[in-house]
Amino acid sequence: MLHRVLIANRGEIAVRIIRACKQMGIETVAVYSTADRDSLHVHLADEAVCIGGAAATDSYLNMENIISAAINTGAEAIHPGFGFLSENSRFAALCESCGILFVGPSSTVIEKMGDKASAKALMKAAGVPVVPGSEGEVSVEEGIRLVETIGTPVLIKASAGGGGRGMRVVNSADQFTKAYQAARAEAKAAFGHDGVYIEKLIENPRHVEVQIIGDKYGQIVHLGERDCSIQRRNQKVVEEAPSQLDDTMRQAMFDAAVKAGEHVGYVSAGTIEFIVDAEGFYFIEMNTRIQVEHPVTEMITGLDIVREQLSIAGGQKLSFTQAEVQFNGHALEVRVNAEDPKHQFRPSPGRIDLLHVPGGPGVRFDSMVYTDYEVPPFYDSMIGKLIVHGRNRDDAIDKMIAALDELIVEGVPNNHAFLQAIIEHPDFRKGLVDTGFIQRHLEGLLKHET
Ligand code: ADP
């Protein structure tokens, strides 16, 4: 059982983790940058330590300062949340060597799965279906030869990529060399590593991912799947659980995900991401951390995934077996962002003048904002997640429409009306969702922007 945990993150996920700790009687230590002095996570934690300046590299990515804060405050574990250092194997290794428990898998597993190209090779070896493409990173010559074999369109992807960044579509072989060089340069600038690999571009697939969770005693279970197909520029905007896959494919994905987890000896919560087309499903990557969209799984299983992560890190066994995981109803999540849909969704930091959060049975708002909170310009633009749980998909959609109607966020341009337009779209109601949804309907979805 853990007694004191440091949360190496900010925003709504830091608040979310503090809540789970409080319910478990675990003391919390928040860390914050100089730009986040007035943040909710700083107020909610038992103790708070400033770890540096506003730029993430000075604070939330500053490993030495975070480790020092943990040692000085007597925290025995660090929960990294998502983003920042959550999938950094060097940070996990640093925790291990300082005798601090990292709430997540081992540094070795993060390293193996963090490199997307090698993770794919590993999954293929474990018998998990993968998108056709290169075996690991490729040189430009190897890339050209591969494109001749598998044909276009292909996707050039950064091994170190994440957050939907570092990808280039190549529609004809003569564009390849230019796109390859641009992708490498972009990857180097964004991730500090310029290795790229190649995948066949699956046209407008569905993105379906399986949540797994494993303890330190070799037990791994899945907690069902989430459909995260509603994306803008490869970044998720709306998520739901369950997906609309047929039961045979769903079960095959669960089996593949658990097999993948067992193959690497996975501990803690993780997600195996797949893309799905008419032919089948293919592994694209594994996220070795808690994800933004975890609440939809919590809503349909009644489990608290962060709580499970904390008890697993403290050496407890999983508190349930696969057979005990029950799925009920349907859940939806929308990401509320301080961004301006009228101007290419550019980030729009500033003061929240008024906030009203909807409520009622099965309505949850995970956020760190409050009236008069100043959204800083230094980090990502997500200011909250609205999650609903209904008896079935239609009921969940009705509930989300009502909840969005009640939500008030004033002071900063945001995507509230855009989210309403997605949820109210007839194709969304019909379940006609794939990763091309937003692009296909963009004009209509932006109609209500004033
Ligand atoms: P990231 O790590 O940046 O999130 P992913 O590999 O998880 O990158 O892919 C993000 C999204 O990009 C997917 O959900 C999907 O929409 C799209 N994508 C990735 N690979 C392919 C592919 N081979 N074909 C079509 N779309 C893809």
Side-chain angles (χ1 to χ4, degrees), residues 87 105 113 123 207-213 221 224-226 228 236 257-258 260-261 266-274 283-294 297 305 309:
E87 291 183 290
M113 302 310 283
M123 288 300 105
H207 173 117
V208 181
E209 57 189 34
V210 179
Q211 175 75 59
I212 60 165
I213 190 156
V221 301
E225 87 284 20
R226 300 183 279 259
C228 313
K236 300 160 189 167
V258 171
Y266 198 78
V267 171
S268 196
T271 303
I272 313 283
E273 297 193 331
F274 299 99
F283 168 86
I284 47 171
E285 69 161 343
M286 173 164 198
N287 286 142
T288 54
R289 55 172 167 81
I290 189 83
Q291 281 189 296
V292 176
E293 58 273 23
H294 75 276
T297 300
I305 299 175
Q309 281 190 301

Side-chain angles (χ1 to χ4, degrees), residues 116 157 162-164 167 199-200 202 207 231 234 273 285:
K116 294 168 68 166
K157 297 172 82 169
M167 280 182 232
E199 266 177 11
K200 183 128 196 74
I202 310 289
H207 173 117
Q231 302 181 352
N234 302 320
E273 297 193 331
E285 69 161 343

